[in-house]
Amino acid sequence: GLAYKAWRDWQANRPATPSPQETTAALPAAEGTAFLPADPAARDDLALRLVRAMVAAAKADGHVTPDERARISAQFEALGLGPDARAVLEAELARPLDLGEIAGLAHTPEEAAEVYAASLLAVDPEGPAEKGYLAMLAARLQLDPGLVAHLHANAAALAGQEG
């Protein structure tokens, strides 16, 4: 939902900083769009790619903190992933970080926004290593700086609602 909202706002040339009304509004439903495919197999495939992106972002500073692990686990729930996905998580945690491979998880511009948003949600975006990783990821995904600003603004607004 976060990537979908940021994408729509960016496409409509809305400001990157959400208004107070937008901040308290629920994220738009993305079902049946490129952001949340209707086909269950395509949805599961995308969800697993997003988990891989989240784990890679969490490893950007060389270790995965308990807070980052909790964020990733929370996204498991949100993505509706079952126990089989836990094996994917453990395998990803054991793999070396490969930014090019993570950028290659996105097959469309919409998926690039989702890979970035998932990565952003997994970490503290103000940490120096994480900030550098996110900048390199955005460049590898060829994301427009305006879209990146929208993704960050929406993630910050979402974090403000949860905190």
Side-chain angles (χ1 to χ4, degrees):
L2 175 106
Y4 181 55
K5 180 182 182 331
W7 180 271
R8 285 187 0 189
D9 291 348
W10 172 68
Q11 291 284 337
N13 291 318
R14 293 188 186 115
T17 305
S19 71
Q21 295 83 7
E22 290 174 315
T23 300
T24 58
L27 291 174
E31 286 86 4
T33 70
F35 291 89
L36 190 59
D39 176 59
R43 184 181 291 206
D44 288 349
D45 176 61
L46 178 59
L48 290 176
R49 287 186 281 139
L50 296 179
V51 167
R52 291 185 63 203
M54 292 179 79
V55 171
K59 293 191 310 188
D61 61 359
H63 66 283
V64 179
T65 66
D67 185 47
E68 290 168 335
R69 201 177 260 273
R71 289 178 190 173
I72 293 167
S73 291
Q75 291 305 310
F76 263 76
E77 303 293 323
L79 293 169
L81 298 174
D84 294 342
R86 291 283 173 194
V88 172
L89 172 63
E90 295 306 320
E92 284 304 310
L93 287 168
R95 291 175 62 150
L97 178 60
D98 182 342
L99 184 63
E101 185 178 324
I102 298 305
L105 296 174
H107 303 139
T108 66
E110 293 87 353
E111 287 181 3
E114 283 191 288
V115 164
Y116 188 87
S119 301
L120 179 61
L121 291 174
V123 299
D124 171 8
E126 296 306 315
E130 292 85 350
K131 192 179 268 191
Y133 176 83
L134 290 170
M136 289 188 300
L137 182 61
R140 289 281 187 99
L141 291 169
Q142 300 179 351
L143 294 176
D144 182 277
L147 176 57
V148 171
H150 276 279
L151 290 164
H152 278 264
N154 281 280
L158 184 62
Q161 287 177 9
E162 293 170 357

